[in-house]
Each structure stands twice: as C-alpha cells, then as structure tokens.
Amino acid sequence: MTTNQYIDDTLYTFIIYSENTPGLLSQITAVFTRRQVNIESLNVCASSTEGVHKFTITCYCTQEMAQMLTKQIEKRIEVLQANYYTDNEIYIIETSLIKLSTTQMLENPMVGKSIRKHNAHIIEVNSTYATVEKTGITSDILSLYESLNEMGVVLQFVRSGRIAITRSRVEHLDEYLSQRERERNGTN
C-alpha cells in the first residue's frame, strides 16, 4: 500500500472550518482537482464550535502548493478558516476494520499473536469471519494489515480518514472568531 508522490512532497493535513453548506465539499475538493493534487484521506464532521463543520484532508504536495491550496480554499465564502500542518504539528488518529477468515485464523496461532502485538481488538467472531479493530497512527494500522495479509487471512480491510487536532492550547478557529467579533464590535 504505497502512495505515488514526488520525492520533495510532504504529507500535509489540512484542517478547514466552514459553515454547513450543501455543495461546499465539492467546491473544496475541486480546489485540489484543479491543481492535480490527489486527496489521500478526507473526514468531515461537526466541530466543537456550534454550527461549524470541520474538514480534515490529507495530501502529498510541496509547501508552496499547500500554501496555494489553503489560500484558494479560504476564498470560499462559507469557509471560516483553513490551515495546513505537518504531522509533528498535530495529534492524529485513524481507525481500521479488518475482516479475517475464522477458519484460517484458528489454524494459524501467529494471527492472534500479531493482533496482540499490534494492540488491536477482536470485536466479532462467527463461524465465517472475525472482525478486528485497530485505532492508531497510519503506520501502525498498515503494519498490522501487512502482517495479517502476509498470512493470507484478510478478507476485507478498510481504514477511516485521519482525524486531527492541533498541538496548540487553543483552537485556531476560536481565536479567529474572537478577533472577528472584536472587529464587528469596533474593539481590538
């Protein structure tokens, strides 16, 4: 499971806050498409600020491209704020589900050892398949998947898009909204 990217490209995580407007997701993804930047993962959910949604998008690109994408995204009227981060600037997590053949899993004791070694959890077992859940960083999830896949027991694999929060004490959006409110009230 390798990703095609240029040697100088870095994995950036874009965190975008917006109003909940139909069609905005399409507009945001179009910004990436027009610049021929492939989105690696995408997660959209309500944020901790009432009425505001949070988009978490990852892609490989140069820093110059990340800056350009951010500026283009912020031009959308419904977008309140957009920022990009490298992995050392944020806390990240993903979740995965792996469906395994029960018969093959029971025949190979290394399957259970691999699941325990990777701190994964079996969440369902029936006569046909077992479902394993692993939450963590991308490399840990892929390590478990590759280990189980090499044993030939994987029936299905899926992982969520990345969710992320910044390492700063305060939410950047809250600072932005506070500043905007002060400007509306004529105070700085």
Side-chain angles (χ1 to χ4, degrees):
M1 297 195 118
T2 59
T3 304
N4 293 334
Q5 75 227 31
Y6 295 101
I7 294 171
D8 295 335
D9 289 353
T10 301
L11 181 65
Y12 286 100
T13 299
F14 293 80
I15 298 179
I16 304 157
Y17 294 96
S18 74
E19 299 171 6
N20 186 14
T21 307
L24 184 59
L25 176 59
S26 176
Q27 292 176 38
I28 290 173
T29 58
V31 171
F32 290 83
T33 304
R34 280 194 301 274
R35 280 150 194 82
Q36 297 183 350
V37 175
N38 189 45
I39 293 174
E40 296 293 321
S41 71
L42 171 75
N43 184 298
V44 183
C45 62
S47 75
S48 59
T49 304
E50 189 176 332
V52 175
H53 274 63
K54 181 178 184 177
F55 295 72
T56 306
I57 300 173
T58 61
C59 70
Y60 285 95
C61 63
T62 63
Q63 184 173 8
E64 294 77 22
M65 180 60 74
Q67 290 170 343
M68 182 188 311
L69 291 166
T70 302
K71 288 177 185 174
Q72 290 296 310
I73 291 167
E74 283 190 325
K75 286 182 180 180
R76 305 288 175 258
I77 293 171
E78 301 88 351
V79 171
L80 301 170
Q81 186 178 50
N83 293 293
Y84 65 92
Y85 303 92
T86 58
D87 284 359
N88 62 344
E89 298 173 305
I90 55 178
Y91 292 106
I92 59 172
I93 199 159
E94 292 181 10
T95 296
S96 67
L97 295 173
I98 307 170
K99 186 184 284 186
L100 309 175
S101 164
T102 300
T103 305
Q104 292 174 328
M105 184 178 86
L106 293 174
E107 291 173 357
N108 186 347
M110 294 306 294
V111 173
K113 288 180 182 180
S114 183
I115 292 169
R116 286 188 300 279
K117 174 185 168 198
H118 288 89
N119 294 318
H121 307 281
I122 297 174
I123 57 174
E124 179 185 5
V125 177
N126 62 42
S127 61
T128 308
Y129 63 86
T131 304
V132 176
E133 177 270 333
K134 169 69 178 154
T135 298
I137 60 174
T138 308
S139 59
D140 291 346
I141 289 171
L142 293 178
S143 177
L144 172 61
Y145 166 74
E146 290 164 2
S147 170
L148 295 171
N149 198 41
E150 287 173 6
M151 293 180 223
V153 297
V154 176
L155 299 174
Q156 293 181 30
F157 171 70
V158 65
R159 73 177 214 256
S160 70
R162 172 180 282 194
I163 58 172
I165 57 174
T166 64
R167 292 184 181 262
S168 72
R169 268 190 71 203
V170 295
E171 182 66 72
H172 293 290
L173 177 66
D174 294 340
E175 291 174 338
Y176 168 78
L177 293 175
S178 294
Q179 177 64 29
R180 190 169 81 169
E181 187 63 29
R182 287 191 299 273
E183 289 171 1
R184 283 185 181 162
N185 294 331
T187 60
N188 286 333

